[in-house]
Amino acid sequence: MYQDNPFHNFEHAIHVTASVKKLLTRIVNTDEGNGLETNVAHKSTDDMDLVDLAGHSYGITSDPLTQFAVVLSAIIHDADHPGVPNTQLVKENTECAQIYKKSIAEQKSVNLAWDTLMSEDYSALRACIYQTESDLKRFRQLVVNTVMATDIADRELQALRKARWETAFSKVESAIVHADEDVESEDRKATIVIEHLIQASDVSHTMQHWHIYKKWNEKFFMECYGAYREGRADSDPSETWYKGEIGFFDFYIIPLARKLQNCGVFGVSSDEYLNYATSNREEWVREGESIVQMYLAEYNKRAAT
């Protein structure tokens, strides 16, 4: 289901899924400790009881269908990714671009995975996921919405998400519904939290240890530079990679980490993500230019063998 791309491959899907699981478990928060309620006998975070904090998790932790939908979405979100962005697919006028028009790779991933799930081979799994037509529709909508949220290059979609966030988590609305949140407000916040949870997980390497960030950054460079060398990109990414990463941190990663912090859902993880993002940006400013040259040397070394 996944192609052998340097970055958008099954290893990336697993990394994103692990990050989703981490954030979901951090939503299950208690007032004391690290936010995880563990099996007392074994003292292991692998055996957790879900604890819903009314007014903080927006019902996510008390809804197994939502949790499973988000995890499944992480696994499938880049299925059959072509290794180039949607804009390139439009330029090449690929079959998928003709079919989907917007969020091309994301819609293809959803449809491919959904067709697989609906096959006879997975009838037993489907019976475990949902039992009613209503649950099936809600499950599909959750999966579609979550995977579509990973399309961060579409400015129109990003503007809509930003507006929804500002409406849902504005201080004015919080003051109005904090004591007694209505269902519509809670559902809206749950949707927005899930969108940002999957977005943060999709780029979680930028908010983890430096060596993890550098590993995945190199993989993404190799994919983008390889596409350029194959004639599937208009410009040489090595010429803008250093400054582009700084801009990515300043205008997407750090603001995203702050949103995780401001929504008040993820406990200690929000501080952790923001601290790593800030630290990685500082390290990249110091070392990034020489690192890009190392990437180029490594690409040429591999190409020569």
Side-chain angles (χ1 to χ4, degrees):
M1 191 176 287
Y2 274 82
Q3 296 190 32
D4 189 22
N5 299 313
F7 182 88
H8 289 101
N9 52 36
F10 189 61
E11 184 185 2
H12 167 66
I14 295 302
H15 186 245
V16 173
T17 304
S19 299
V20 163
K21 178 181 180 295
K22 176 180 178 178
L23 285 176
L24 282 174
T25 57
R26 293 296 172 87
I27 293 177
V28 237
N29 204 322
T30 56
D31 289 335
E32 299 178 357
N34 66 356
L36 304 180
E37 187 161 290
T38 61
N39 181 291
V40 177
H42 298 91
K43 302 291 185 182
S44 169
T45 56
D46 293 329
D47 188 10
M48 290 177 295
D49 296 322
L50 297 182
V51 181
D52 193 5
L53 280 188
H56 292 280
S57 64
Y58 310 114
I60 295 171
T61 57
S62 58
D63 184 1
L65 186 66
T66 294
Q67 295 171 47
F68 182 77
V70 176
V71 171
L72 180 66
S73 297
I75 296 172
I76 69 167
H77 79 284
D78 277 330
D80 202 30
H81 194 287
V84 294
N86 288 329
T87 51
Q88 184 62 29
L89 299 178
V90 172
K91 289 177 182 178
E92 295 175 0
N93 196 31
T94 63
E95 182 180 356
C96 285
Q98 295 175 38
I99 295 172
Y100 299 121
K101 309 299 182 184
K102 291 175 69 70
S103 301
I104 299 163
E106 292 78 13
Q107 290 199 65
K108 182 183 179 183
S109 296
V110 168
N111 286 341
L112 175 63
W114 192 261
D115 288 346
T116 301
L117 180 61
M118 292 299 111
S119 68
E120 182 61 30
D121 291 341
Y122 293 95
S123 59
L125 175 59
R126 293 198 303 275
C128 294
I129 299 172
Y130 58 84
Q131 285 77 45
T132 67
E133 186 69 20
S134 175
D135 282 347
L136 168 60
K137 290 180 179 179
R138 187 164 71 91
F139 175 65
R140 177 171 171 79
Q141 194 62 59
L142 283 164
V143 171
V144 171
N145 288 351
T146 305
V147 175
M148 291 303 105
T150 64
D151 181 5
I152 64 172
D154 190 306
R155 293 183 179 181
E156 182 180 348
L157 290 176
Q158 279 294 84
L160 289 172
R161 294 183 191 116
K162 182 179 180 180
R164 287 203 301 270
W165 175 277
E166 291 175 349
T167 298
F169 290 101
S170 69
K171 291 182 179 179
V172 174
E173 170 156 317
S174 295
I176 294 173
V177 301
H178 178 72
D180 185 22
E181 290 204 2
D182 57 67
V183 174
E184 182 181 353
S185 174
E186 183 167 301
D187 287 347
R188 180 168 62 250
K189 288 183 178 180
T191 298
I192 297 167
V193 166
I194 289 169
E195 286 179 350
H196 287 76
L197 184 154
I198 191 69
Q199 287 181 347
S201 298
D202 199 18
V203 293
S204 58
H205 63 283
T206 64
M207 308 179 209
Q208 295 172 345
H209 291 279
W210 166 255
H211 72 277
I212 298 176
Y213 163 69
K214 186 168 172 285
K215 167 190 170 181
W216 285 101
N217 185 255
E218 180 178 4
K219 286 176 176 289
F220 193 37
F221 176 88
M222 293 298 177
E223 184 169 297
C224 294
Y225 189 70
Y228 167 70
R229 292 290 293 268
E230 293 171 4
R232 303 191 74 190
D234 293 334
S235 58
D236 182 348
S238 68
E239 295 177 355
T240 57
W241 200 266
Y242 171 69
K243 291 184 177 179
E245 280 297 291
I246 296 174
F248 192 45
F249 274 111
D250 288 344
F251 299 107
Y252 183 71
I253 297 300
I254 291 175
L256 177 59
R258 286 185 175 136
K259 284 182 177 180
L260 297 183
Q261 188 178 56
N262 292 340
C263 73
V265 170
F266 298 106
V268 295
S269 282
S270 58
D271 294 332
E272 174 187 315
Y273 276 36
L274 181 58
N275 290 339
Y276 275 126
T278 304
S279 175
N280 286 337
R281 183 200 182 279
E282 293 172 355
E283 187 73 15
W284 180 261
V285 169
R286 290 192 297 268
E287 306 291 340
E289 288 179 300
S290 61
I291 289 173
V292 172
Q293 295 307 309
M294 291 171 56
Y295 290 169
L296 278 171
E298 180 63 24
Y299 180 91
N300 292 327
K301 177 182 176 182
R302 296 177 188 178
T305 58

